[in-house]
Amino acid sequence: PEIALHCLGAAVRFVLTYGDDLVAFAISVKSKLFAERALRQETGKARHSSYLVKLQGLGLLTEEPISLRPLHISQIHSIFATRSAAQMDDAGGNTRTGSVRERMGLTDALQLLFASVFVILGATAARRQVELRTLEDECLAKLLGTGWYLRFALGKDVLGDSRGALVRCVPHLAARAIAQVRRLNRSWRELHGVSSDRLFVGFAAEFSDCATLSGGTINTWLDLFCDFVQVPLDDQRRRWYVRTHELRRFWAYSFFYKFGLGELHTIGWYLGHRESEQTWVYIRESFDGHDKEMRQIKASYAASVLTGRHSPTAENAVAIAAIHEVVRKHLGCAELRLVESSELLACIEEIIERGELDIEPKFIRDTQGTDYEIMWLVRAAKELP
């Protein structure tokens, strides 16, 4: 979560601070290069007559918005175009990335913008990379009074070979980031005479190309982004390079941590899972190694039931009554609603940690599909090893 939040915060700042002006500047530079016939054909691809074009050479630096000055854009091509230096050092991290914070090419700035967009969409919209790469140009819809919605093709098969089309709500910031990509790529396609209804057909690797964005390129841009925003190194001086599927797990982790066991249906619906059992497996994998956080979530759910804020099922009545008595005696009170919430949660966490109580969904399959009940599993202290 700390790494995801670090990346998300940096991505939000990049999109809000630079996004709109960077897109407008890139389109202006690209259009002027075409107008000045600063392109020629090489092996079937349109490339700048000098790939090391400096912005000053065509008088383009004077058009740069003041807001972009902190990026120190001095040329069009990427400063990493040369392969003479080793890309990664032994401790992790691009050995040349420090220089991109001192100066960069317009291509580098666009790569950082696109990486920021994927971080935002992964962390706030929980979409798979394939779902993002195949977005259509008109993937956004706004409903008055409710906000923005994203249309996408489900990244995994629903039934057999069929792929479902889904719509899910997204925050305004995600919609703004998508709009920046759409504006840039529409201009790219128009200048190159390319026809496509896909959002990520346009800027895909080099400034002079118009192509379809690949998964490998996205990962390369995310690597650059993590170095640029300086994701903190671990105690062995290694850097974590985030991926879209990890950001999707971060969304599930965060939602579950906030809303708990009672919202598996909601989490699964948003992720595009067919069954809650699949969602629970996904949650357990996301919480692997985070036992304390899982105990806190279970304790929070138990506290809401014991204090009457959440209605239990009849199947749990005996177990709930037994735990209620254990907690009441431990805290020395007759009414749990009068106990400080922090004290109640600490008591229940201790009971769970000792193994006297566990709370998990139990899945039931019938003709209507799979459903689940939240079950309380109680073991008396004397039964414990």
Side-chain angles (χ1 to χ4, degrees):
E2 293 82 3
I3 293 171
L5 287 171
H6 181 99
C7 290
L8 179 59
V12 168
R13 286 191 295 273
F14 200 94
V15 164
L16 294 181
T17 305
Y18 305 119
D20 292 328
D21 287 343
L22 178 59
V23 166
F25 183 50
I27 293 172
S28 174
V29 170
K30 182 91 166 178
S31 300
K32 189 161 186 176
L33 288 171
F34 270 80
E36 296 287 337
R37 298 181 181 275
L39 294 169
R40 65 187 175 90
Q41 296 295 321
E42 288 183 2
T43 63
K45 287 188 175 182
R47 294 188 178 276
H48 299 115
S49 54
S50 171
Y51 190 56
L52 306 180
V53 174
K54 300 290 184 180
L55 296 181
Q56 298 94 324
L58 293 172
L60 297 172
L61 196 58
T62 58
E63 302 175 8
E64 181 187 19
I66 295 176
S67 63
L68 301 184
R69 298 290 168 82
L71 295 177
H72 307 294
I73 299 173
S74 61
Q75 59 195 47
I76 293 174
H77 76 293
S78 170
I79 65 170
F80 298 129
T82 175
R83 298 298 177 189
S84 59
Q87 184 175 358
M88 309 295 285
D89 59 26
D90 293 337
N94 192 315
T95 57
R96 299 164 293 169
T97 304
S99 59
V100 83
R101 289 187 288 273
E102 300 171 1
R103 66 178 183 86
M104 69 174 68
L106 184 51
T107 298
D108 299 313
L110 290 176
Q111 291 177 4
L112 289 170
L113 175 62
F114 273 60
S116 298
V117 171
F118 278 98
V119 169
I120 290 171
L121 292 176
T124 67
R127 302 279 46 99
R128 301 177 179 93
Q129 188 185 103
V130 65
E131 294 168 352
L132 298 176
R133 285 194 289 109
T134 56
L135 285 174
E136 294 184 356
D137 210 44
E138 297 293 344
C139 60
L140 285 176
K142 188 174 185 180
L143 299 182
L144 187 63
T146 61
W148 288 98
Y149 288 81
L150 183 69
R151 302 187 189 96
F152 60 94
L154 191 63
K156 289 189 176 180
D157 291 349
V158 179
L159 293 172
D161 295 327
S162 64
R163 293 166 67 89
L166 301 181
V167 178
R168 295 292 184 266
C169 54
V170 293
H172 174 78
L173 178 66
R176 179 170 175 175
I178 288 173
Q180 291 173 354
V181 171
R182 181 169 59 193
R183 181 185 175 193
L184 181 82
N185 278 348
R186 280 180 175 176
S187 296
W188 242 245
R189 294 195 296 268
E190 181 179 351
L191 287 169
H192 284 271
V194 173
S195 178
S196 177
D197 60 358
R198 290 290 178 87
L199 178 67
F200 287 104
V201 172
F203 175 76
E206 297 178 356
F207 194 85
S208 54
D209 288 341
C210 181
T212 301
L213 188 58
S214 70
T217 299
I218 293 171
N219 291 339
T220 299
W221 291 354
L222 287 171
D223 290 348
L224 172 66
F225 175 85
C226 289
D227 282 321
F228 179 75
V229 305
Q230 294 178 289
V231 170
L233 304 179
D234 65 12
D235 55 3
Q236 299 182 51
R237 298 194 59 75
R238 297 174 303 182
R239 175 163 288 145
W240 191 283
Y241 291 92
V242 73
R243 292 293 180 260
T244 50
H245 69 272
E246 294 168 337
L247 294 167
R248 174 175 160 89
R249 285 189 179 275
F250 165 74
W251 181 93
Y253 179 99
S254 303
F255 196 102
F256 183 73
Y257 192 87
K258 174 66 176 176
F259 296 102
L261 285 162
E263 296 294 339
L264 286 182
H265 280 312
T266 304
I267 298 172
W269 171 83
Y270 196 83
L271 291 173
H273 291 166
R274 280 189 296 167
E275 298 177 342
S276 296
E277 187 171 8
Q278 180 185 1
T279 304
W280 179 240
V281 171
Y282 197 84
I283 292 294
R284 291 299 298 267
E285 291 175 350
S286 300
F287 273 80
D288 184 34
H290 296 270
D291 296 339
K292 180 176 175 58
E293 287 86 347
M294 182 63 82
R295 286 198 302 271
Q296 290 173 341
I297 291 170
K298 291 180 177 182
S300 178
Y301 178 81
S304 70
V305 173
L306 294 175
T307 56
R309 287 178 284 125
H310 192 96
S311 300
T313 59
E315 291 81 358
N316 287 314
V318 175
I320 290 172
I323 293 298
H324 186 281
E325 188 64 17
V326 170
V327 174
R328 190 188 66 77
K329 287 182 178 179
H330 180 86
L331 297 176
C333 65
E335 182 53 71
L336 294 184
R337 283 179 294 183
L338 302 178
V339 178
E340 287 286 341
S341 59
S342 58
E343 189 178 1
L344 177 60
L345 287 172
C347 176
I348 299 174
E349 277 188 57
E350 183 181 342
I351 292 172
I352 294 174
E353 188 173 9
R354 291 201 307 257
E356 294 179 46
L357 169 65
D358 196 10
I359 302 174
E360 286 198 357
K362 295 299 177 182
F363 300 94
I364 307 150
R365 186 179 299 275
D366 57 23
T367 56
Q368 302 300 315
T370 300
D371 201 355
Y372 71 95
E373 295 284 353
I374 302 297
M375 301 301 294
W376 291 48
L377 311 175
V378 177
R379 297 176 69 187
K382 63 183 179 181
E383 298 176 5
L384 297 175

